[in-house]
Amino acid sequence: MAYLEVKNIYKRFGKTEVLKGIDFSMNKGQVVSIIGSSGSGKTTLLRCLNFLEIADAGTFSVNNKVLFDAENQKALTDAQVRENRLHFGLVFQNFNLFPQYSVLENICLAPKLQAKERADYKANAKQINAEIEAKAYKLIDDVGLSAKCNAYPCELSGGQQQRVAIARALALDPEILFFDEPTSALDPELTGEILKVIKELAQRDMTMVIVTHEMQFAAEVSDQVIFMDGGVIVEQGTPDEVFVHPKSERTKAFLSRYNNA
Amino acid sequence: MEFLTITQDLLQGFGITCLLFIMTLILAIPLGLLFAFCSMSKISVIKVPTKIFIWIIRGIPLMLFIFVIYYLPSLLADGNASLNIFNTIDLKMTIAAGSNELLWQGRFLAVLIAFVINYACYFSEIFRGGIESVSQGQYEAGYVLGMTKSQVFFKVVLKQVIKRIVPALSNEIITLVKDTALANAIAIPEIIKCAKDMASSQALIWPLFYTAVFYLLFVGVLTVVLNRVEKKLSYFKA
Ligand SMILES: Nc1ncnc2c1ncn2[C@@H]1O[C@H](COP(=O)(O)OP(=O)(O)O)[C@@H](O)[C@H]1O
Ligand SMILES: [Mg+2]
């Protein structure tokens, strides 16, 4: 049984059917890249998996625990949805850092709020918060921003903001981290620093799903590549299978457009 | 000597001006927030009437609305505006206090209601604009980090909203200071009414102009305070 199992996800907005039955699975510690032209439904898929949209049909599960089943999603309480979504983390294209908080505060906010719900919080508040901060400092160090702990997002470059966003997502120990075009909002010379951080995560066996247009990077970092077009998965396989020996004409056409661009 | 007693008399009126200002501010802000949420509601039976109500209140002069609040309840109660319920309150209080001058607390209530509703409508539009200007991405970032709706609102969105609305709110608050003068339409003895009374009873016109000093000082202090708030929030960009 695979670690993440996504089955038959459908999603429509009004009359437009955006996802038409998405199936895929991945193992723990793997990196899956999703490629495809704009409008093919990649963002919508990540949003469904992170409960920002509710899929019309389908299920997904992690570690054999069903997190979402369109059949009985309505029966879930807000608290259950919240618990289910915490299995995943999501890094957005445009970072979405909280502007009024420093780097450290951005990373600590959600963990501290969660800690308050713990039964032993009142007795150990000081220690718990100190642990959260220590972990945040470690994460900030991992993404190479130790010098910027107390800076505010408006004082950071796009690449630095995105690194903070990655650290913020990691602070909650997600089982799987999703990225939606993490470098698309960045100047070309800043994409490298983000790709480097993601590669380091891959080396540490972080399970990740990455929507990206960086083909070279996807080929290097992924165990599996998924090509989406028109709301379906057209082709999936190892980077070699998809990039070097694509079977589908649609994949070939997409890749040749990229190689010529 | 005369200057001192007149200053004292005007200060009394200014006290009522300040009371109206403060109470309007304290009550209109939460009511405005409520109106703002109602006007953004997904339920149209809440949203549409709220929007129509706000449109009406913002569309009519505050002076007219004061008259509406002052006369309408009595008209509806027995079709006889001469038995005004707010005046009845004044009369009862005057008798209870054994005063020989008609008290004003009942009419003050009418003015306060009109001011609170009127300003709540203006504030609600400012709040709505502020809330809607915070990008959806901020909410979503909060949700994917496992925050509840109220945590996202209070910990993530609110401060950004406040930062964005402080300039518009400052304008409205300063307008409110000066709008309090409208209370003299139903003879609330605020500062302008006091000065007008002096003009007619003592044939003195300068106290009327002198009131400007009170307003200017008050607005000056407010401006300093509001600028300080704005500065305090300038450490981040939103
Ligand atoms: N909230 C929405 N309402 C209506 N249509 C949407 C919405 N979100 C996405 N779509 C449509 O779904 C399609 C796929 O969008 P998206 O998932 O963003 O694609 P991608 O990320 O692959 O570029 C697009 O045609 C887009 O217009
Ligand atoms: Mg997209």
Side-chain angles (χ1 to χ4, degrees):
Chain A
M1 194 70 179
Y3 191 55
L4 171 67
E5 292 266 6
V6 177
K7 283 193 192 135
N8 213 23
I9 296 285
Y10 279 81
K11 177 69 189 173
R12 60 163 68 236
F13 294 108
K15 283 208 177 89
T16 41
E17 190 146 54
V18 176
L19 297 178
K20 305 168 190 166
I22 299 288
D23 287 278
F24 74 94
S25 61
M26 68 189 290
N27 293 326
K28 199 173 164 132
Q30 277 198 328
V31 176
V32 169
S33 290
I34 301 178
I35 59 171
S37 46
S38 143
S40 54
K42 306 180 298 294
T43 296
T44 305
L45 175 60
L46 292 202
R47 291 174 60 83
C48 286
L49 295 174
N50 282 279
F51 299 89
L52 292 175
E53 306 285 355
I54 303 302
D56 301 322
T59 64
F60 57 85
S61 58
V62 164
N63 223 353
N64 292 322
K65 182 183 187 315
V66 176
L67 299 186
F68 175 84
D69 182 349
E71 298 290 302
N72 66 4
Q73 179 62 19
K74 293 226 166 68
L76 295 186
T77 63
D78 278 0
Q80 284 168 314
V81 171
R82 221 152 54 82
E83 196 186 313
N84 283 349
R85 79 186 336 155
L86 277 172
H87 290 267
F88 296 158
L90 176 62
V91 173
F92 298 87
Q93 186 171 338
N94 48 4
F95 338 128
N96 290 329
L97 292 184
F98 305 133
Q100 72 269 43
Y101 292 122
S102 69
V103 167
L104 182 68
E105 290 164 335
N106 259 280
I107 296 170
C108 292
L109 180 65
K112 282 186 177 173
L113 287 172
Q114 260 167 48
K116 286 199 177 125
E117 291 169 28
R118 278 165 58 170
D120 63 340
Y121 181 76
K122 276 218 172 93
N124 310 320
K126 261 215 172 108
Q127 195 201 339
I128 290 173
N129 284 328
E131 279 167 18
I132 290 171
E133 280 173 29
K135 185 173 168 190
Y137 280 118
K138 167 95 182 35
L139 287 165
I140 292 171
D141 194 37
D142 286 349
V143 297
L145 287 173
S146 296
K148 299 283 184 186
C149 281
N150 297 314
Y152 288 92
C154 63
E155 298 162 346
L156 302 177
S157 72
Q160 291 171 332
Q161 289 189 52
Q162 190 63 299
R163 284 188 274 158
V164 175
I166 293 170
R168 183 175 70 175
L170 289 170
L172 292 169
D173 294 317
E175 284 153 29
I176 304 179
L177 187 52
F178 293 80
F179 295 82
D180 190 5
E181 300 194 30
T183 60
S184 293
L186 300 177
D187 294 333
E189 70 268 22
L190 297 179
T191 59
E193 60 189 72
I194 301 303
L195 301 182
K196 182 167 157 270
V197 168
I198 298 175
K199 275 187 184 162
E200 281 164 9
L201 289 173
Q203 270 155 23
R204 284 189 270 151
D205 292 329
M206 181 77 208
T207 312
M208 293 185 284
V209 176
I210 308 165
V211 171
T212 185
H213 291 299
E214 303 280 340
M215 299 302 160
Q216 182 66 36
F217 165 74
E220 284 165 25
V221 80
S222 315
D223 299 287
Q224 233 191 111
V225 177
I226 289 175
F227 170 61
M228 275 180 73
D229 192 28
V232 296
I233 292 178
V234 174
E235 186 153 355
Q236 59 181 313
T238 63
D240 187 60
E241 284 167 345
V242 176
F243 288 122
V244 187
H245 308 289
K247 292 190 200 82
S248 153
E249 288 307 317
R250 278 150 89 186
T251 317
K252 286 177 195 163
F254 172 75
L255 289 174
S256 74
R257 249 181 295 137
Y258 254 88
N259 294 336
N260 296 337
Chain B
M1 198 58 223
E2 187 191 38
F3 179 74
L4 265 183
T5 49
I6 283 176
T7 303
Q8 264 171 4
D9 283 359
L10 288 182
L11 262 178
Q12 249 176 27
F14 192 60
I16 294 174
T17 297
C18 291
L19 186 69
L20 180 56
F21 170 80
I22 290 289
M23 293 194 71
T24 303
L25 205 54
I26 290 172
L27 296 172
I29 285 178
L31 188 64
L33 210 51
L34 180 71
F35 285 175
F37 283 119
C38 289
S39 70
M40 290 185 292
S41 170
K42 287 193 188 100
I43 306 159
S44 56
V45 279
I46 295 176
K47 176 181 167 161
V48 175
T50 308
K51 289 207 149 198
I52 293 174
F53 182 75
I54 292 171
W55 171 68
I56 292 172
I57 301 300
R58 296 212 313 162
I60 63 171
L62 177 52
M63 169 115 61
L64 176 57
F65 189 52
I66 293 170
F67 288 135
V68 170
I69 298 289
Y70 181 57
Y71 289 115
L72 201 62
S74 317
L75 274 173
L76 292 178
D78 58 4
N80 183 355
S82 64
L83 287 175
N84 191 297
I85 56 167
F86 297 108
N87 287 347
T88 314
I89 298 172
D90 286 342
L91 208 58
K92 281 194 179 138
M93 290 189 82
T94 307
I95 292 165
S99 165
N100 51 11
E101 220 179 307
L102 188 65
L103 291 177
W104 45 269
Q105 277 81 355
R107 280 167 296 147
F108 185 82
L109 186 65
V111 166
L112 184 63
I113 292 170
F115 268 70
V116 168
I117 293 175
N118 179 80
Y119 272 88
C121 288
Y122 281 100
F123 288 164
S124 79
E125 286 295 282
I126 294 175
F127 294 154
R128 186 177 62 83
I131 292 170
E132 285 178 347
S133 74
V134 174
S135 80
Q136 203 55 34
Q138 290 289 308
Y139 291 86
E140 293 182 347
Y143 294 144
V144 298
L145 292 168
M147 292 185 205
T148 63
K149 278 190 175 141
S150 77
Q151 284 172 343
V152 168
F153 185 76
F154 287 107
K155 301 284 178 184
V156 175
V157 175
L158 187 60
K159 203 167 188 182
Q160 298 180 46
V161 172
I162 292 173
K163 180 183 168 81
R164 282 173 202 208
I165 65 176
V166 163
L169 213 51
S170 300
N171 268 335
E172 216 54 63
I173 289 171
I174 284 168
T175 306
L176 169 60
V177 174
K178 294 169 290 174
D179 270 358
T180 54
L182 291 171
N184 89 58
I186 57 170
I188 305 293
E190 48 72 54
I191 186 166
I192 298 270
K193 170 88 167 46
C194 291
K196 267 169 56 187
D197 289 351
M198 287 173 201
S200 56
S201 65
Q202 302 171 45
L204 284 177
I205 204 70
W206 66 264
L208 197 53
F209 302 142
Y210 179 32
T211 61
V213 174
F214 292 79
Y215 285 108
L216 287 171
L217 282 177
F218 194 39
V219 168
V221 171
L222 267 182
T223 308
V224 170
V225 171
L226 292 167
N227 280 348
R228 207 167 274 180
V229 172
E230 204 169 321
K231 228 191 191 140
K232 251 205 145 148
L233 292 167
S234 68
Y235 74 92
F236 73 92
K237 281 204 189 79

